[in-house]
Amino acid sequence: MNIGQAVPRVGPAPRRTAITAALLVAACAVVVLPATGHARAEAGCRVETGPYQWELEAYLGRPRNGWQSAADCAAIAAFQRAEDVRPADGYAGLATYRTMLVAQARANPNAAGKCPVDTGRTACVDLDRQLMWVQEGRRVAFGPVAVRTGRAGQTTRTGRYTVYVRSKDHVSTLYANSPMPYSQFFSGGQAFHGRLGTLFDGGGSAGCVNLTVPDAQRLWDVLRLGDPVQVWGRKPGT
């Protein structure tokens, strides 16, 4: 057959050919973000740019442009897996950002010197970063861990307090008998205690310092009646 010679049409073959071609195009399509030009890094990796993309890029040593790339997604997902953030989908959301703040503070949570260095135990609550830890002098005895503090209108009070009541299986009489496991009260009804739900829902407590239940249990074993509590800063969004 000469090049350019017309091909005779036989039966339904052209329809099948058209369908096959369409399927091949669909199968070979690559998911690409307009403007950024980056493809999906791996199955299950989200290509969307999260609200804390720039912060995660800075922490992980990625190019800081505020846009998700395949390499960014892979790096964030690896961090999520290492820190047990689920799902590990590479998305720079609130839970991943808050976990990043914990990881960032591990080496020295009191680097800014805002929690007094006493000779005994001091529970330190940083409202700015939504973190708490316990230090004995300059040694960190617990944490840092993520916390969830009071929302707008019911903020956690700042200042210097002491642990005055401990109640391991406490139930709230003010809030529909809500469980408050491992409660340690330090300021007029405000307490450290475990929360059964997530700490990363974007809301806030009614003034207490919420921890995960495992963290609250570990804190219970560290603090004692009369231990000082230092609270400073301001919860974002309040």
Side-chain angles (χ1 to χ4, degrees):
M1 183 184 296
N2 294 329
I3 297 174
Q5 181 178 345
V7 178
R9 298 183 64 179
V10 180
R15 174 174 172 77
R16 288 198 300 271
T17 302
I19 293 173
T20 301
L23 291 173
L24 285 172
V25 170
C28 294
V30 177
V31 179
V32 177
L33 281 176
T36 63
H38 296 299
R40 188 180 297 272
E42 58 184 73
C45 196
R46 290 178 63 174
V47 296
E48 296 96 332
T49 297
Y52 298 97
Q53 182 74 29
W54 192 94
E55 291 85 351
L56 266 297
E57 288 169 350
Y59 177 70
L60 296 173
R62 299 291 308 147
R64 288 175 284 179
N65 54 25
W67 293 99
Q68 179 80 304
S69 71
D72 290 339
C73 192
I76 294 170
F79 170 77
Q80 291 168 329
R81 288 190 294 271
E83 296 290 337
D84 198 27
V85 178
R86 299 179 186 180
D89 57 2
Y91 182 71
L94 179 61
T96 303
Y97 169 67
R98 295 283 310 283
T99 304
M100 182 207 81
L101 293 179
V102 174
Q104 206 171 37
R106 269 190 200 122
N108 184 8
N110 199 34
K114 294 186 177 181
C115 194
V117 178
D118 297 328
T119 55
R121 283 183 302 272
T122 302
C124 310
V125 182
D126 183 343
L127 300 181
D128 296 322
R129 295 183 292 173
Q130 292 290 282
L131 301 176
M132 75 84 54
W133 64 93
V134 177
Q135 59 190 34
E136 295 180 354
R138 298 186 182 278
R139 184 182 75 86
V140 177
F142 169 85
V145 297
V147 296
R148 177 180 182 266
T149 65
R151 56 182 166 270
Q154 293 179 295
T155 54
T156 304
R157 291 180 285 273
T158 58
R160 182 82 162 176
Y161 307 99
T162 58
V163 176
Y164 67 88
V165 168
R166 283 163 40 97
S167 179
K168 191 173 185 177
D169 299 308
H170 194 78
V171 174
S172 172
T173 57
L174 294 177
Y175 299 99
N177 294 321
S178 298
M180 297 170 57
Y182 304 103
S183 286
Q184 303 190 72
F185 291 85
F186 59 86
S187 172
Q190 295 187 352
F192 298 112
H193 70 81
R195 183 172 193 259
L196 301 181
T198 179
L199 302 179
F200 310 124
D201 58 4
S205 73
C208 287
V209 177
N210 298 158
L211 300 88
T212 66
V213 174
D215 284 343
Q217 182 177 12
R218 291 194 302 121
L219 183 63
W220 176 271
D221 294 333
V222 173
L223 289 183
R224 298 290 181 268
L225 286 174
D227 282 348
V229 178
Q230 186 74 35
V231 185
W232 71 92
R234 180 176 180 178
K235 176 182 170 69
T238 62

